[in-house]
Amino acid sequence: MSHKAVIIRGDGTGPELCEAVLKVIDASGAKIAWSDAEAGEKPLQRGEPVVPDKTIEIIKKTKIALKGPMTTPVGKGSVSANVTLRKKLDLFACVRPIWTLPGVETPFKDLNIVIFRENTEDLYAQIEYMATADVALALKVISKSGSRRIIEAAFEYARANGRKKVAAVHKANIMKISDGLFLQTAREIAEKYPEIEFGDYIVDNFCMQLVTRWKQFDVVVMPNLYGDIASDLAAGMMGGLGVAPGANFGRDCAVFEAVHGSAPKYAGLNRVNPTALLLSGVLMLRHLKETQAADRIEQALYRVLREGQARTYDLGGTTGTQEFAQAIIAKMS
Ligand code: NAD
């Protein structure tokens, strides 16, 4: 069966990463009819919105997209293309699995954690302003309904995948009302899943325990900002941004993307690691029930990583982005 999916190639290193990943997906036997759509710097430079309406429309119609990273200027300029896309498609659940990859040396053995990050609220409401010439204010938005749907998604995932524990991460000791609401909601939902052990951690303590006692964590759910930061920390534990995949789910659409950004200093150099975006593509194939193609890619990638002859710079080698993709294709059986 053939599937339709949208590809957004993105900014910086996005286009070269997408080129490499599409070749591998194509070689896996999965039949995907790709439609290109734009978001990020290119439409912005033409004076269009950072996420054009036609991009939103085609994803709503197709329901599936694979996305390269997009650049957001720091401290000035346009709103984030990523945040805009997630909000316009109501992709409320950002799911970032962290596990030990064969052949990728890290001090963190036997990692197996899935992070659920709320994707539409919190400080990413992007409501900030100068209250006086001296004081900038930013609004942290946490709603009961927004908390409920991400926490339920984490519990449902745990139940469907035989996971034993869900932990909620918060800072309710300081933000008693906003993070307090998130925690209270988590406690209420946990009662409906008696077979799943529930715990909660204050975010600073969570970060410390993540790098000292990572094996105690299973599924973890948190508001947007903590999820953004903690999932990059967890990506580092997995082997770096070059290998950590992710997915954004709404009720209707799903957009798959790596945890990392556009790494602009490497743009056009054929150096960055396509593994993170490729594993995001594998998550997409599993979502489409293309299990055989997903398994083929994963096994070929694992063989390449284990053998270690082809490695991109971040994993200590000199192999280029496209050559790394070719090495994976060569190992497919
Ligand atoms: P980044 O993730 O782009 O890069 C940080 C560093 O991580 C890079 O310099 C590089 O050393 C390494 N790295 C990242 N991806 C890699 C890969 N595939 N292979 C090997 N090494 C890799 O973070 P940044 O420099 O803070 O952000 C650059 C831009 O990306 C910013 O505009 C930011 O807003 C944006 N961003 C986008 C997304 C997204 O599209 N989802 C996510 C995060 C950041």
Side-chain angles (χ1 to χ4, degrees):
M1 197 178 100
S2 164
H3 306 275
K4 287 185 181 157
V6 173
I7 177 84
I8 299 175
R9 291 171 198 263
D11 305 318
T13 53
E16 59 206 273
L17 286 167
C18 287
E19 183 190 335
V21 166
L22 291 198
K23 273 188 212 149
V24 179
I25 293 179
D26 195 37
S28 74
K31 297 269 174 289
I32 313 272
W34 296 101
S35 303
D36 264 272
E38 279 186 345
E41 284 181 323
K42 283 197 201 86
L44 209 55
Q45 280 157 6
R46 291 197 302 265
E48 291 176 34
V50 68
V51 183
D53 287 346
K54 59 182 180 206
T55 296
I56 298 296
E57 277 156 30
I58 192 169
I59 300 177
K60 278 189 175 162
K61 205 166 137 210
T62 312
K63 302 200 185 314
I64 299 284
L66 182 65
K67 186 183 88 54
M70 300 190 291
T71 299
T72 305
V74 176
K76 59 180 167 61
S78 154
V79 293
S80 158
N82 293 304
V83 174
T84 306
L85 192 71
R86 290 167 194 161
K87 281 198 184 154
K88 288 205 164 182
L89 293 168
D90 201 19
L91 301 168
F92 65 88
C94 175
V95 181
R96 293 179 167 175
I98 304 293
W99 73 103
T100 302
L101 288 169
V104 177
E105 278 301 312
T106 86
F108 306 99
K109 310 289 173 222
D110 303 321
L111 269 175
N112 188 1
I113 303 169
V114 182
I115 295 179
F116 277 69
R117 163 188 170 191
E118 202 290 322
N119 230 357
T120 58
E121 300 194 328
D122 200 353
L123 284 158
Y124 294 69
Q126 296 185 116
I127 304 168
E128 31 170 28
Y129 57 95
M130 295 302 295
T132 69
D134 187 45
V135 179
L137 291 184
L139 217 59
K140 176 177 165 100
V141 179
I142 302 280
S143 70
K144 179 108 188 161
S145 52
S147 302
R148 189 186 294 123
R149 62 184 184 171
I150 185 70
I151 295 162
E152 277 174 354
F155 273 97
E156 282 300 317
Y157 173 89
R159 183 174 269 173
N161 291 280
R163 297 266 181 169
K164 304 272 179 285
K165 297 193 236 177
V166 173
V169 174
H170 59 85
K171 189 81 186 171
N173 53 331
I174 304 296
M175 279 156 282
K176 294 175 196 292
I177 297 180
S178 52
D179 279 16
L181 180 62
F182 186 83
L183 177 58
Q184 180 53 33
T185 308
R187 285 183 175 145
E188 286 165 19
I189 290 168
E191 283 178 17
K192 294 187 212 142
Y193 297 83
E195 78 280 17
I196 295 169
E197 189 185 324
F198 174 69
D200 74 275
Y201 295 81
I202 295 174
V203 62
D204 37 344
N205 176 35
F206 169 74
C207 290
M208 188 276 292
Q209 297 216 28
L210 185 62
V211 296
T212 52
R213 273 173 259 164
W214 58 91
K215 285 185 207 165
Q216 73 186 344
F217 295 111
D218 194 343
V219 175
V220 188
V221 60
M222 50 192 115
N224 208 338
L225 182 61
Y226 310 143
D228 189 358
I229 298 167
S231 59
D232 263 41
L233 171 63
M237 295 168 70
M238 184 179 175
L241 284 172
V243 298
N248 303 287
F249 295 99
R251 297 267 181 244
D252 302 316
C253 305
V255 176
F256 297 82
E257 63 176 335
V259 171
H260 65 71
S262 57
K265 71 178 178 195
Y266 292 110
L269 300 181
N270 188 38
R271 287 195 67 198
V272 281
N273 191 345
T275 300
L277 188 62
L278 181 61
L279 286 172
S280 310
V282 167
L283 293 177
M284 184 192 86
L285 292 174
R286 296 205 185 285
H287 181 75
L288 292 170
K289 309 266 182 279
E290 284 283 352
T291 311
Q292 264 190 342
D295 288 347
R296 283 186 85 198
I297 295 175
E298 223 165 60
Q299 280 156 21
L301 169 69
Y302 288 177
R303 281 177 70 187
V304 171
L305 290 173
R306 215 180 274 119
E307 288 171 14
Q309 274 135 10
R311 275 182 188 275
T312 45
Y313 85 91
D314 55 314
L315 298 181
T318 55
T319 309
T321 310
Q322 306 308 324
E323 291 72 22
F324 188 77
Q326 285 304 336
I328 297 167
I329 292 169
K331 293 287 179 201
M332 273 185 198
S333 47

